[in-house]
Amino acid sequence: MNDETWNYEPFWDEVMSQCAKDFSPQEIHMWFERMEYHSSSKDAIIISVPSSFVKDQIQQRYADIIISKLEQISGSPLELQFHIKQQEEPSHKEFKSTQPKKSRPVIQKPGQARIEMEKRPHPSLNTRYTFDNFVIGDNNSFAANAAMAISKNPGTAYNPCLIYGGVGLGKTHLIQSIGNTIFQNMENAKIIFISAEEFLNEFVMAIGNNKMQQFKNKFRYADVMLIDDIHFFQGNKEGTQEELFHTFNALYESNKQMVFTCDRPVSELRNLTDRLRNRFQRGLNVDLKPPSFETRLAILQKKVETLNTPIPDSVLHLICNSVTTNVRDLEKALTTIQAYAELVGKEITEEVARDQLKDILVTHHQNAINIDFIQRIVADYFNLSTNELKSKKRTNTIAFPRQVAMYIARQITELSTTEVGLEFGGRDHTTVMYAVQKIENKMKSDSTIEPMITRLIRDIRESNTKG
Ligand code: ADP
Ligand code: MG
């Protein structure tokens, strides 16, 4: 269904007039008058604001109340999304006033309408994810080039395409860049971007509400279907897998582009029907590896370009040497150092950076102590030795306690899946992810699991403070 089908502007107007009564004139002037209705999509209302700052403030101060008013008025939950207005962009009101009354903004007319349309962000894509700000290194060049080729000629060269790799290596960035590029270049392409988790949720909701036909149509009439994190389909009810399978076939037959991302190679996915696995393996499978020192440095340099604060190269080197796991951690370290320097009004020097990095590394160190406690207490509880937990044995009596311990480690430490894996006899991070998911699923189906885990976590915390 086209986004133009949805128009929640009357709801928005009503919420704003209610708020005018509820808030002080200063607040109205300061924040509410800076919001402007922009557009609607199926489940969201999109509001224009003049800057990210205004957006953040509104989100913190008023989003909850606006959302709850919207729900009261419209009768169903609506998400609040923001569009940052470009300086030269005409406001919705100005624009509308040049149109016949009641016509929807955009689509119909050429000229100005088209310009506005191009600037409008795709409702489910983040405009931050573009090829322009994706740094290509030898760890990701195959995947990045494939992604760029796809976005130039969707549905032809590499279809389907699956991008896989560990957490924080750029999967979401790449798949969304494909979506953003096609969205900008092909005016009428219907692009769907969805995470596997959302796909599952929508599927379940559709069944519950008797809306299967709408659900099917949404996907089957897509020109481009992008699904992020398909490892979420593992172990899920066959119904969802079956629906995805048919969607896949329908789109494949009509040469529509499909791109998927996954945290591991398809061959390592478990609890997935063979025919679906077989579909994912078709076409091109490309992987993302952890970035080398040079690539890490290039990524940071690119990020620094967008900041106002200058950061000396020596500091960037320091970060790249300390944080080696993935790009997300790398960005986090940079942001922490930058925020610290800004808040205490200091220049970012090597000393500041070393200090902050030390803090980041110390938390890791403290957590390393925790993981011993976790292993000891979980092993005790199941009457095993910690060595057995770390061993290669895969009998159920050991595998389940090991999964519990891994799950807890992910819950109460800051350790990445890679680091947790290392603490369990050098296992791969994907094993840890699998364990977490397995336990989460078990918690849903077996009501004794959650209390057991809560109790174990309490024991671990207590013994950690004593020890
Ligand atoms: P994943 O989906 O694989 O877990 P993301 O795509 O969310 O990882 O990437 C984590 C963060 O790192 C994002 O902020 C993303 O923009 C950034 N990032 C990852 N790879 C690169 C790269 N090659 N160049 C620039 N930024 C990157
Ligand atoms: Mg991701």
Side-chain angles (χ1 to χ4, degrees), residues 143-205:
N145 285 316
M148 288 192 279
I150 287 168
S151 56
K152 284 194 194 113
N153 284 309
T156 50
Y158 308 115
N159 196 25
C161 173
L162 181 122
I163 303 169
Y164 68 92
V167 65
L169 294 182
K171 300 183 295 295
T172 300
H173 191 134
L174 276 184
I175 195 173
Q176 290 217 21
S177 300
I178 295 175
N180 274 321
T181 308
I182 300 177
F183 186 69
Q184 287 307 319
N185 297 340
M186 306 176 95
E187 202 164 347
N188 297 317
K190 184 169 182 311
I191 301 165
I192 291 187
F193 170 80
I194 193 167
S195 70
E197 204 177 359
E198 287 160 352
F199 184 96
L200 285 169
N201 290 341
E202 286 195 16
F203 178 77
V204 171
M205 295 260 281

Side-chain angles (χ1 to χ4, degrees), residues 168 171-173 228-229 261 328:
K171 300 183 295 295
T172 300
H173 191 134
D228 205 8
D229 294 332
T261 71
R328 188 172 298 150

Side-chain angles (χ1 to χ4, degrees), residues 128-137 139-140 144 163-175 228-229 261-263 288 291 295 298-300 302-303 326-331 433:
R128 187 171 89 78
Y129 295 124
T130 63
F131 289 122
D132 275 351
N133 54 29
F134 190 84
V135 173
I136 301 185
N139 62 312
N140 61 25
I163 303 169
Y164 68 92
V167 65
L169 294 182
K171 300 183 295 295
T172 300
H173 191 134
L174 276 184
I175 195 173
D228 205 8
D229 294 332
T261 71
C262 187
D263 69 353
L288 291 168
T295 309
I299 291 172
L300 284 187
K302 182 116 200 169
K303 210 168 151 65
N326 65 56
V327 185
R328 188 172 298 150
D329 290 348
L330 201 63
E331 290 185 336
M433 290 182 175

Side-chain angles (χ1 to χ4, degrees), residues 50 77 83 152 161 169 175 189 234 265 337 339 355 366 381:
H83 165 71
K152 284 194 194 113
C161 173
L169 294 182
I175 195 173
Q234 288 178 109
I337 293 171
D355 222 42
Q366 281 167 351
Y381 179 78

Side-chain angles (χ1 to χ4, degrees), residues 380-394:
D380 274 357
Y381 179 78
F382 288 99
N383 213 358
L384 299 168
S385 71
T386 51
N387 281 339
E388 281 173 303
L389 275 191
K390 296 187 210 173
S391 71
K392 300 271 172 246
K393 287 187 208 151
R394 290 166 72 171

Side-chain angles (χ1 to χ4, degrees), residues 242-276:
E242 166 120 5
E243 183 54 37
L244 184 62
F245 173 78
H246 292 302
T247 306
F248 185 106
N249 290 344
L251 294 177
Y252 190 74
E253 289 306 315
S254 42
N255 293 323
K256 305 296 188 185
Q257 181 71 48
M258 286 175 277
V259 184
F260 307 103
T261 71
C262 187
D263 69 353
R264 69 200 80 179
V266 175
S267 59
E268 289 177 24
L269 289 171
R270 285 163 246 216
N271 293 322
L272 198 70
T273 58
D274 283 344
R275 54 186 197 167
L276 196 54

